[in-house]
Amino acid sequence: MRIDPTELGAERIYRLMTGIVVPRPIAWVTSLSRSGVLNLAPFSAFTFVSQKPPMLAISVGRKGADYKDTAHNILDTEEYVIHIADTPLMQAVHDSSVEHPPEISEVAELGLETLPSERIKVPRLSVAPVAMECRFRQCLEFGDARSRLIVGEVVMFHLRDGLVNDGKVETVALDPIARIGGPRYARLGEIVTLHGVFQTPKSKD
């Protein structure tokens, strides 16, 4: 089967790519508007781009002709929190993708409790097993739709007790959820451990 992307509109290409690039981790992001409204939204175009300092990237698209509230808030305040949600939070993650007016807080609508962050003003969700306080570092725009790739530096990690063993995250205990095509999500399946291979150390520590 051959598909020529020049013959497709943006929406059809989006559906195709989100079905191919799977599974995708989900960045569940809290951000504050200039007026103090706490926004919450999930983003599955998400990865890390640097380990020292730790930096994460999310791609934020538009809702209609304007950028999503998260992009506005991050560029306005330069602070936000990226959470990793587990299976019990799947429905809340999905429900937080509903597009509300900027004056509506998804956190309040979903009845989620928050905790104060340590290094930034944006609160973090108390129910998430992982929360990463971030400061904005860079924004790049791509494509005809000018999607914004937002890169931030993690200034504080918060992990649920018991998730880290000898410096490594216990993935099964984390039980993260992933996004696949459409309104569908996935959990971890079988985990296969292969023998280690030599890699040049990334640092001396």
Side-chain angles (χ1 to χ4, degrees):
M1 184 178 185
R2 296 175 62 256
I3 300 177
D4 184 347
T6 63
E7 298 176 355
L8 302 179
E11 191 65 30
R12 291 181 64 188
I13 294 175
Y14 174 82
R15 289 200 297 267
L16 184 65
M17 291 179 66
T18 55
I20 293 172
V21 184
V22 292
R24 299 185 306 281
I26 301 170
W28 206 19
V29 182
T30 51
S31 61
L32 279 173
S33 70
R34 285 180 174 175
S35 60
V37 177
L38 184 58
N39 177 266
L40 175 65
F43 298 90
S44 63
F46 162 53
T47 190
F48 74 90
V49 294
S50 169
Q51 66 268 18
K52 186 68 176 182
M55 302 178 80
L56 301 168
I58 58 173
S59 179
V60 183
R62 295 174 181 262
K63 55 176 184 180
D66 196 9
Y67 286 102
K68 293 183 178 180
D69 298 335
T70 301
H72 284 299
N73 294 346
I74 292 174
L75 295 180
D76 285 345
T77 69
E78 300 194 349
E79 295 182 341
Y80 55 108
V81 182
I82 292 180
H83 306 80
I84 303 300
D86 56 9
T87 296
L89 293 170
M90 187 182 295
Q91 187 65 54
V93 170
H94 184 66
D95 291 344
S96 70
S97 66
V98 174
E99 294 181 354
H100 292 289
E103 64 272 14
I104 300 296
S105 168
E106 292 82 3
V107 174
E109 287 288 303
L110 296 173
L112 298 172
E113 295 183 355
T114 62
L115 293 169
S117 293
E118 291 186 28
R119 302 271 174 93
I120 64 174
K121 294 180 181 178
V122 182
R124 57 190 175 95
L125 302 175
S126 62
V127 292
V130 176
M132 296 170 282
E133 301 179 25
C134 299
R135 287 203 180 100
F136 170 75
R137 288 294 177 257
Q138 190 173 6
C139 178
L140 301 172
E141 293 188 349
F142 292 94
D144 296 339
R146 304 196 68 79
S147 294
R148 287 175 166 171
L149 184 72
I150 294 176
V151 178
E153 178 182 342
V154 179
V155 295
M156 183 62 68
F157 291 94
H158 301 273
L159 296 100
R160 183 178 294 160
D161 290 343
L163 282 184
V164 179
N165 182 16
D166 193 27
K168 295 183 179 180
V169 175
E170 297 286 355
T171 310
V172 174
L174 175 59
D175 189 22
I177 58 173
R179 186 74 189 276
I180 54 179
R184 296 182 297 168
Y185 298 79
R187 299 179 60 190
L188 294 176
E190 179 185 3
I191 295 177
V192 179
T193 302
L194 303 180
H195 67 84
V197 298
F198 173 77
Q199 292 183 328
T200 303
K202 296 176 177 60
S203 66
K204 294 181 180 180
D205 61 1

